[in-house]
């Protein structure tokens, strides 16, 4: 079912963030602390927090629309088993950089959102009367 209003999108986005945060806290893999740190760092960043989050193969991605019809944006964030955090333009490819701290990876992701589709694109989409 498509999103009808900004309030629906915001509610579904917040719900998905809470689900991701909860799931991350319950994982029992060796890389769980790095993954949790990445999820929390992205959640704390307003530009990313305003996007609908989703994961695939533990890679954190973002959409300007909620399920079931996702509109993925770039970049993709990953928490690696070696404690490094990747940022990439493609799925699981850290071609934009690898960082020792999740905040650094998130900061780069936000800089790349500014030049591509992201919350601003969603706002323009809504302003043009799209539902």
């Amino acid at each position: 079912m498509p999103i009808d209003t900004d309030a629906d999108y915001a509610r579904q986005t917040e719900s998905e963030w809470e689900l991701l945060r909860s799931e991350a806290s319950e994982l029992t893999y060796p890389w769980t602390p790095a993954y949790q740190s990445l999820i929390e760092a992205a959640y704390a960043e307003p530009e990313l927090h305003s996007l609908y989050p989703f994961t695939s193969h533990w890679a954190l991605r973002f959409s300007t629309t909620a399920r079931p019809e996702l509109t993925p944006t770039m970049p993709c964030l990953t928490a690696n088993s070696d404690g490094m955090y990747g940022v990439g333009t493609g799925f699981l490819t850290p071609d934009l950089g690898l960082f020792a701290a999740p905040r650094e990876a998130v900061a780069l992701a936000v800089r790349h959102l500014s030049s591509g589709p992201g919350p601003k694109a969603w706002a323009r989409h809504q302003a043009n009367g799209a539902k």
Side-chain angles (χ1 to χ4, degrees):
M1 171 162 46
I3 302 296
D4 291 327
T5 67
D6 290 340
D8 289 339
Y9 175 78
R11 187 173 44 257
Q12 287 184 308
T13 297
E14 188 59 34
S15 176
E16 193 67 18
W17 273 113
E18 291 304 318
L19 178 63
L20 278 178
R21 294 173 74 206
S22 176
E23 287 176 345
S25 71
E26 296 170 3
L27 294 173
T28 58
Y29 299 107
W31 44 264
T32 296
Y35 183 72
Q36 279 183 287
S37 294
L38 179 64
I39 297 294
E40 292 301 327
Y43 179 79
E45 175 53 55
E47 290 259 4
L48 297 181
H49 188 151
S50 67
L51 291 170
Y52 185 88
F54 67 101
T55 59
S56 179
H57 297 83
W58 306 109
L60 179 59
R61 301 184 68 196
F62 306 94
S63 174
T64 55
T65 56
R67 292 186 194 275
E69 298 176 28
L70 297 175
T71 306
T73 64
M74 296 299 167
C76 180
L77 294 166
T78 56
N80 302 326
S81 60
D82 63 0
M84 297 296 285
Y85 299 88
V87 183
T89 58
F91 181 67
L92 297 177
T93 306
D95 59 338
L96 297 175
L98 283 171
F99 300 91
R103 288 180 313 213
E104 294 171 328
V106 165
L108 180 62
V110 169
R111 285 194 301 275
H112 278 272
L113 277 178
S114 298
S115 61
K120 293 174 182 115
W122 171 250
R124 285 192 304 272
H125 177 74
Q126 290 299 93
N128 289 329
K131 299 276 185 198

